[in-house]
């Protein structure tokens, strides 16, 4: 995906980026590639692929969910900042908190935020399981996002405890999402959520399947969730 295609395809979806925002994406790309030489952030470093598979793919959540409000989102296991940093560039009014278990990635994100001159962003080094039990963060966010870091049943346990009642969990998935939804129904209900929407689309140019799952948080999450680090992955609620 060339930068002109990136700009044009987002425009078709009603998302218009200014020259300043496009400059931020360019800086993001160069910073990502530069840091990737000294630490493993991504296997994708080819510019057209970064714009398609990281930048465009991250913003695709906004095709189905409204990020134009000054909401506070938490991104669980964002790695090199996906999806929340591209969403933040496209929708500057949102507040972003990223939690990641690897301190090296947090160091990269802090450097990136300075390079991009981002405001209202914070980066926290923690495991999602312990972060979800932290009273300062538990049920504190309007929206919690995650991009393909685990099965939906596991992701729900890591993310839904952070969503305030009345807020949303937005999961971004590649293929097999329908099977994951079926397997994840029990977890979503147990953790206080209810399936709201499921959107399936094809990533342009590459023609690969993408899925956006939106869950409403209807009730508080029982105190015992999330369980201790590693447990949700070993014994998911299914």
């Amino acid at each position: 995906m060339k930068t002109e295609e990136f700009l044009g395809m987002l425009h078709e979806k009603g998302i218009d980026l200014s020259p300043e925002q496009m400059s931020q994406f360019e800086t993001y790309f160069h910073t990502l590639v530069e840091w990737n030489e000294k630490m493993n952030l991504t296997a994708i470093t080819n510019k057209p692929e970064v714009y398609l598979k990281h930048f465009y793919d991250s913003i695709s959540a906004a095709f189905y969910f409204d990020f134009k409000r000054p909401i506070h989102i938490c991104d669980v296991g964002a790695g090199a900042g996906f999806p929340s940093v591209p969403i933040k560039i496209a929708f500057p009014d949102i507040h972003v908190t990223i939690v990641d278990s690897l301190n090296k990635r947090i160091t990269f994100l802090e450097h990136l935020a300075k390079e991009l001159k981002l405001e209202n962003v914070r980066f926290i080094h923690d495991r999602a399981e312990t972060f979800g039990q932290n009273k300062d963060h538990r049920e504190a966010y309007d929206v919690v996002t995650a991009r393909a870091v685990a099965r939906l049943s596991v992701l729900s346990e890591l993310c839904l405890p952070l969503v305030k009642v009345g807020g949303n969990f937005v999961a971004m998935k590649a293929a097999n999402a329908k099977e994951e939804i079926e397997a994840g129904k029990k977890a979503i209900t147990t953790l206080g959520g209810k399936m709201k929407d499921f959107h399936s689309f094809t990533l342009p140019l590459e023609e690969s399947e993408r899925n956006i799952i939106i869950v409403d948080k209807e009730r508080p999450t029982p105190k015992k969730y999330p369980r201790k680090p590693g447990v949700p992955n070993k014994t998911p609620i299914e």
Side-chain angles (χ1 to χ4, degrees):
M1 174 177 272
K2 295 174 182 172
T3 53
E4 305 82 38
E5 290 175 306
F6 175 70
L7 193 62
M9 287 184 183
L10 288 178
H11 172 73
E12 286 171 16
K13 296 290 186 179
I15 300 168
D16 290 310
L17 300 180
S18 67
E20 183 187 353
Q21 287 167 307
M22 286 300 288
S23 174
Q24 285 177 300
F25 278 112
E26 195 68 6
T27 300
Y28 194 167
F29 165 69
H30 289 294
T31 308
L32 178 69
V33 170
E34 180 192 334
W35 277 62
N36 202 60
E37 288 177 5
K38 49 191 172 184
M39 59 187 282
N40 183 27
L41 290 165
T42 177
I44 300 165
T45 54
N46 172 279
K47 188 173 182 178
E49 285 194 88
V50 169
Y51 270 81
L52 176 65
K53 296 179 183 176
H54 283 329
F55 297 165
Y56 184 89
D57 190 34
S58 291
I59 296 172
S60 68
F63 303 164
Y64 307 102
F65 191 87
D66 181 14
F67 288 99
K68 290 175 182 168
R69 306 159 288 147
I71 52 178
H72 200 151
I73 76 173
C74 179
D75 193 358
V76 174
F82 309 119
S84 57
V85 176
I87 292 172
K88 168 69 177 171
I89 294 171
F91 304 97
D93 290 341
I94 65 171
H95 291 232
V96 172
T97 296
I98 290 178
V99 57
D100 198 278
S101 61
L102 199 62
N103 206 30
K104 288 193 299 185
R105 286 197 289 256
I106 296 295
T107 303
F108 164 73
L109 290 167
E110 286 171 343
H111 172 79
L112 178 68
K114 284 178 188 164
E115 291 291 304
L116 301 180
K117 298 181 173 60
L118 298 181
E119 295 178 351
N120 298 315
V121 292
R122 58 182 174 173
F123 309 105
I124 299 171
H125 175 228
D126 201 355
R127 289 286 297 257
E129 295 95 332
T130 47
F131 190 70
Q133 289 290 359
N134 183 323
K135 61 179 173 50
D136 293 333
H137 297 282
R138 187 178 180 84
E139 300 191 327
Y141 297 93
D142 301 302
V143 181
V144 177
T145 60
R147 185 173 175 245
V149 291
R151 285 173 61 77
L152 186 62
S153 52
V154 178
L155 268 190
S156 297
E157 185 169 349
L158 302 180
C159 295
L160 273 167
L162 296 165
V163 183
K164 53 172 73 163
V165 174
N168 298 97
F169 165 39
V170 179
M172 305 181 71
K173 289 282 178 187
N176 305 319
K178 285 181 182 169
E179 293 166 30
E180 287 196 33
I181 289 171
E182 204 51 46
K185 278 180 181 173
K186 183 181 176 185
I188 289 169
T189 305
T190 302
L191 296 154
K194 183 182 179 183
M195 270 294 301
K196 182 186 182 186
D197 289 312
F198 169 63
H199 303 278
S200 193
F201 68 101
T202 303
L203 196 64
L205 307 173
E206 187 185 77
E207 300 296 310
S208 55
E209 183 187 335
R210 290 292 187 272
N211 299 281
I212 310 287
I213 299 161
I214 302 172
V215 176
D216 282 341
K217 178 76 173 277
E218 292 193 323
R219 305 175 310 283
T221 300
K223 285 189 171 64
K224 70 174 183 176
Y225 300 110
R227 292 166 291 169
K228 290 180 180 176
V231 176
N233 214 29
K234 282 181 192 149
T235 54
I237 308 165
E238 287 183 0

